[in-house]
Amino acid sequence: MKKNLGRAVLAMLIFLHVEIFASTYTWSAVSNKTTAYVNEPIYLKYVCEFSDSAEFFTIDFNIAGEHEKYLLKNLRESENIVGGKKISSYEFVLFAKEAGKIELDFDAIMKQTNKESVENMVIGRDNMKIGEFVKKIIKQEVLTLDIKETNSTIVGELGVEIKKNEPRVKAYEPYHMQVVIKGSANFEAIKPIAFKIDDVKIFAGEVERKQELSEDGESGEWSQKFAFVASKDFTIPKIEIEYFNLKTQKIERLAQEALNVKVEGGFSKEELLDKADNGGFKFNYSYLYYILTFVAGFLAAKIKIKKRVIKLNAEEEFRKKIDEIKSLDELMVLLALRDSKKYEQIILDIERKKLTSLKSAKKMSKLI
């Protein structure tokens, strides 16, 4: 009896503490700009400052994501105790999708542990659920933004770099080039570059983006690699990307002039294959994938296959060759000669080191 009385008194003291010394809080909201251009980064910060450590409070403030007129990205979220008071901060970066007025009218949900939940935890009642909350919706200060048009989907401060070799190659040797755009901007708006050149096989890599979000928006780089394969001289067209420069507040262009590539005499089999230590051949990785499809016919005509005493049909011959392969490099060449399109995924997986087991690669090649 005394034990139960003691627990009841403890619960009463907790209730009195909650009632008399209940936490209070104040919200504030700020943006670093009230006027901006479409797709220009706007920094937002919402802060909830409590009167004490507010151990019974939690906050739901999930506003990031796609909205009708803007995109809101999470930057940081923090919770600290300063001078015995809890301070919860929520930081975002906003990118407007269209010109006009935007009103940011958000709600935060304040969740406070109620008396029943405390009683349940202290006294141990079985008829109450642990973790019950009293919820209260708090409307945030309305922030108004005036958004101006730019006439360009790409907005920021950018520079372009073209990484390329000397514009002189042999026939069927890939000429490599990489376009790198650096700076701060909404990189997602930069579309992949597409070239079209008569009598030139063009291999375009996937766009790669390395970017970091900060109060000033997204900074980093956008890049795309290309390989051009041809049997005669060709010209890579001029590259031109239009964007709105926030510093000058004008439409500007990232440009690279047209590039003339000189194509000389072709390769021999020995130049396409490297001699291995064990006396066999391994594929030269510098030409991998880009030229497999294009030179399959060329290799088939150049490489002489010794006649065998035992006559096998085409499929049996192919399977026997697979069994005799000693390395993944040799297997890639064999598959390219057989049917580069059919075995493209295996070739790519080996080249990208997703497939590293020769035994597994052989097995997969036979199953296709």
Side-chain angles (χ1 to χ4, degrees):
M1 181 71 180
K2 289 182 179 180
K3 186 176 180 181
N4 290 336
L5 180 60
R7 297 176 71 178
V9 171
L10 177 60
M12 185 177 296
L13 289 174
I14 293 176
F15 297 156
L16 288 173
H17 175 82
V18 172
E19 288 294 332
I20 298 172
F21 303 102
S23 301
T24 59
Y25 49 83
T26 303
W27 277 92
S28 62
V30 65
S31 66
N32 68 338
K33 301 168 187 173
T34 56
T35 301
Y37 289 96
V38 172
N39 286 321
E40 179 180 354
I42 302 171
Y43 170 71
L44 305 174
K45 185 174 184 178
Y46 292 82
V47 178
C48 181
E49 186 171 350
F50 291 88
S51 59
D52 55 23
S53 59
E55 62 269 22
F56 294 121
F57 271 93
T58 57
I59 302 173
D60 281 348
F61 192 51
N62 305 311
I63 60 175
E66 290 279 354
H67 295 258
E68 182 181 356
K69 294 184 178 180
Y70 54 87
L71 169 64
L72 198 58
K73 293 189 176 184
N74 272 317
L75 178 58
R76 278 183 298 268
E77 182 177 327
S78 63
E79 186 176 285
N80 300 294
I81 303 295
V82 180
K85 299 178 180 181
K86 182 162 74 173
I87 299 176
S88 299
S89 299
Y90 303 85
E91 298 172 75
F92 307 91
V93 180
L94 181 147
F95 299 88
K97 298 178 182 179
E98 58 185 52
K101 183 175 289 188
I102 294 178
E103 290 190 345
L104 304 178
D105 186 6
F106 300 121
D107 295 334
I109 300 176
M110 309 297 294
K111 298 167 68 176
Q112 183 181 15
T113 304
N114 58 31
K115 292 182 179 181
E116 288 78 9
S117 183
V118 174
E119 183 179 354
N120 184 46
M121 289 184 286
V122 176
I123 300 178
R125 288 183 178 173
D126 295 328
N127 62 336
M128 299 301 298
K129 294 180 180 178
I130 295 177
E132 290 184 345
F133 292 95
V134 173
K135 297 182 181 180
K136 185 177 181 180
I137 297 176
I138 302 297
K139 295 199 73 66
Q140 299 298 307
E141 176 187 348
V142 177
L143 300 177
T144 302
L145 307 174
D146 183 22
I147 307 300
K148 298 181 288 185
E149 188 56 80
T150 62
N151 296 318
S152 175
T153 57
I154 307 170
V155 174
E157 296 179 38
L158 296 169
V160 64
E161 177 187 0
I162 307 297
K163 296 182 179 181
K164 58 185 184 296
N165 298 324
E166 181 184 356
R168 184 183 298 274
V169 293
K170 293 184 178 182
Y172 306 108
E173 175 190 3
Y175 178 74
H176 297 282
M177 185 179 80
Q178 183 180 12
V179 180
V180 182
I181 299 173
K182 297 181 179 181
S184 59
N186 52 326
F187 289 99
E188 292 89 350
I190 304 177
K191 297 180 180 179
I193 298 171
F195 291 106
K196 187 175 182 180
I197 309 172
D198 291 340
D199 301 321
V200 177
K201 187 72 174 177
I202 302 171
F203 298 91
E206 294 183 359
V207 169
E208 295 182 5
R209 288 191 291 264
K210 299 177 183 178
Q211 58 206 68
E212 184 176 336
L213 187 64
S214 70
E215 295 179 17
D216 298 320
E218 291 180 320
S219 59
E221 69 176 45
W222 177 106
S223 66
Q224 188 176 12
K225 294 179 180 179
F226 300 89
F228 304 84
V229 181
S231 59
K232 60 182 181 180
D233 297 352
F234 62 93
T235 299
I236 300 174
K238 178 180 180 179
I239 300 171
E240 194 170 74
I241 299 173
E242 187 180 90
Y243 77 104
F244 182 82
N245 189 312
L246 285 172
K247 188 174 183 179
T248 63
Q249 298 190 1
K250 294 179 181 178
I251 294 291
E252 296 185 3
R253 289 174 177 80
L254 299 173
Q256 168 67 33
E257 295 302 318
L259 180 65
N260 296 317
V261 180
K262 181 72 175 176
V263 179
E264 300 174 341
F267 278 108
S268 66
K269 181 183 78 171
E270 287 72 22
E271 290 174 300
L272 287 170
L273 297 172
D274 289 336
K275 191 74 174 177
D277 294 337
N278 60 5
F281 285 95
K282 67 176 182 178
F283 196 77
N284 188 333
Y285 273 95
S286 62
Y287 307 131
L288 186 55
Y289 178 63
Y290 293 115
I291 58 173
L292 283 176
T293 302
F294 198 87
V295 304
F298 175 80
L299 288 174
K302 293 289 183 181
I303 298 176
K304 295 180 180 179
I305 301 174
K306 294 180 180 180
K307 294 182 179 179
R308 299 178 183 275
V309 176
I310 301 174
K311 289 187 177 181
L312 304 172
N313 61 39
E315 185 62 28
E316 291 173 333
E317 181 77 20
F318 176 62
R319 287 175 175 271
K320 186 173 179 60
K321 288 180 182 178
I322 290 178
D323 291 334
E324 294 173 350
I325 288 293
K326 302 297 182 184
S327 70
L328 288 170
D329 299 339
E330 293 176 2
L331 180 61
M332 283 189 291
V333 174
L334 179 65
L335 297 179
L337 292 173
R338 177 72 173 184
D339 190 333
S340 60
K341 217 168 188 58
K342 181 178 179 180
Y343 299 100
E344 180 181 15
Q345 191 57 54
I346 296 179
I347 294 171
L348 281 173
D349 286 347
I350 295 174
E351 190 269 334
R352 294 170 179 171
K353 300 192 183 303
K354 291 182 179 179
L355 182 58
T356 56
S357 167
L358 179 60
K359 183 178 180 180
S360 296
K362 286 183 177 182
K363 185 176 181 181
M364 291 172 63
S365 301
K366 291 179 180 180
L367 291 175
I368 296 179

